[in-house]
């Protein structure tokens, strides 16, 4: 069975004491996860040690970094390397989030470098992809996202690709007033899986977890997660509310 994942992306939010309070409130719910279910907290860099300590001993609860640099080391003031994250025993790292692509100019080639560095340092990438509004309006979303996968991931061998988690973000439905339906999420997730199957075969593609990153909330998580090719969510705003995120975790199939 594929891993089903509720991944919280705190982005650049919360003071440390607020983050501690949020994690405490979520963990106090004592949501028991099945062997195939995982809750992952992508917290800002300064909070990684705190979050790791808070979830210590909790089965299938993990921590992720929100990014890393695309070079292994050097004179890159202010950046954080995959090796640094590995030295903190961080198991996951989010790569290629739409905000990183849009605001910081991250390219598919840069992300391919990041993927290589994270894998070589024992981290598991959560690789983000997704199309903006103008691409969706031109009905070019399939080709656009396929290009992101090809240029960011297709250099990997079969063993490496099995370690990748994919997160699809319909950028056109985030903060635009437009809404992506569960059916639209399923349609794109099925396409992503077919693209991966074309490169790596159906057995590997069927084992890949593909998360949905389009405004998942407690009220719509069950419907979205019930889609056959949706394996959970990469959750932004709703992950900053303990009650809301607990509903999302509990909605994992």
């Amino acid at each position: 069975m594929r891993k089903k994942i509720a991944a919280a992306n705190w982005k650049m939010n919360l003071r440390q004491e607020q983050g501690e309070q949020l994690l405490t409130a979520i963990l106090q719910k004592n949501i028991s996860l099945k062997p195939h279910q995982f809750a992952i907290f992508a917290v800002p860099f300064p909070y990684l040690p705190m979050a790791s300590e808070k979830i210590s001993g909790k089965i299938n609860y993990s921590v992720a970094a929100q990014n890393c640099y695309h070079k292994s080391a050097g004179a890159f003031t202010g950046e954080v390397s995959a090796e640094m994250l590995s030295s903190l025993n961080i198991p996951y790292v989010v790569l290629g989030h739409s905000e990183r692509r849009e605001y910081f100019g991250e390219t598919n080639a840069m992300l391919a470098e990041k993927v290589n560095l994270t894998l070589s340092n024992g981290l598991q990438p959560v690789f983000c992809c997704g199309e903006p509004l103008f691409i969706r309006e031109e009905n070019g979303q399939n080709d656009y996202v396929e290009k992101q996968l090809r240029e960011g991931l297709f250099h990997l061998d079969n063993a490496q690709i099995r370690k990748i988690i994919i997160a699809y973000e319909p950028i056109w439905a985030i903060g635009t007033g437009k809404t992506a339906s569960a059916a639209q999420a399923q349609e794109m997730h099925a396409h992503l899986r077919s693209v991966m199957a074309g490169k790596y075969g159906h057995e590997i593609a069927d084992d890949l977890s593909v998360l949905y990153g389009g405004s998942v909330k407690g009220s719509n998580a069950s419907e979205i997660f019930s889609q056959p090719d949706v394996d959970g969510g990469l959750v932004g705003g709703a992950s900053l509310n303990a009650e809301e995120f607990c509903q999302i975790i509990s909605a994992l199939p």
Side-chain angles (χ1 to χ4, degrees), residues 7-28:
N9 179 14
W10 288 6
K11 306 188 179 184
M12 196 179 73
N13 290 297
L14 305 177
R15 294 171 58 86
Q16 175 154 311
E17 62 268 25
Q18 294 173 318
E20 288 189 79
Q21 292 167 2
L22 175 58
L23 277 175
T24 297
I26 292 170
L27 297 175
Q28 283 179 341

Side-chain angles (χ1 to χ4, degrees), residues 29-247:
K29 294 290 186 179
N30 287 317
I31 301 172
S32 181
L33 297 175
K34 297 174 182 176
H36 68 282
Q37 296 174 332
F38 294 81
I40 299 174
F41 297 89
V43 305
F45 288 131
Y47 304 164
L48 287 170
M50 174 275 291
S52 295
E53 182 177 352
K54 293 287 287 185
I55 65 161
S56 178
K58 292 287 289 182
I59 297 174
N60 288 5
Y61 284 75
S62 296
V63 172
Q66 295 179 10
N67 182 40
C68 71
Y69 199 54
H70 63 284
K71 301 297 180 184
S72 58
F76 304 108
T77 300
E79 295 297 337
V80 173
S81 71
E83 184 179 17
M84 292 174 184
L85 298 176
S86 178
S87 73
L88 291 174
N89 296 313
I90 303 303
Y92 298 96
V93 57
V94 178
L95 299 179
H97 191 278
S98 59
E99 292 158 4
R100 299 295 314 178
R101 292 175 184 267
E102 181 180 357
Y103 304 148
F104 300 96
E106 293 190 0
T107 65
N108 293 333
M110 289 169 62
L111 293 171
E113 291 185 79
K114 291 189 182 192
V115 167
N116 292 343
L117 286 168
T118 54
L119 290 175
S120 66
N121 282 281
L123 292 99
Q124 189 167 359
V126 179
F127 184 87
C128 300
C129 58
E131 79 282 4
L133 179 60
F134 78 95
I135 294 293
R136 169 65 66 155
E137 289 178 336
E138 294 172 356
N139 200 33
Q141 63 270 14
N142 286 5
D143 290 342
Y144 187 90
V145 176
E146 181 174 344
K147 186 173 188 287
Q148 291 177 321
L149 296 180
R150 286 184 178 278
E151 296 183 0
L153 298 178
F154 272 23
H155 63 285
L156 301 177
D157 62 28
N158 286 8
Q160 291 173 317
I161 202 67
R162 288 182 182 274
K163 298 175 183 176
I164 302 293
I165 297 167
I166 296 173
Y168 166 64
E169 303 174 282
I171 305 168
W172 55 274
I174 302 173
T176 63
K178 297 180 181 292
T179 303
S181 66
Q184 286 174 312
Q186 166 56 25
E187 180 182 31
M188 180 56 82
H189 280 230
H191 174 65
L192 294 179
R193 206 176 298 283
S194 71
V195 169
M196 300 307 289
K199 170 67 174 178
Y200 294 101
H202 287 284
E203 181 184 353
I204 289 177
D206 287 344
D207 282 342
L208 292 176
S209 295
V210 185
L211 313 184
Y212 180 68
S215 300
V216 177
K217 303 173 184 176
S219 59
N220 64 15
S222 291
E223 181 187 8
I224 292 171
F225 295 172
S226 70
Q227 302 302 310
D229 285 294
V230 178
D231 301 311
L234 179 60
V235 185
S239 73
L240 301 176
N241 180 291
E243 195 68 36
E244 190 93 2
F245 193 62
C246 284
Q247 290 180 37

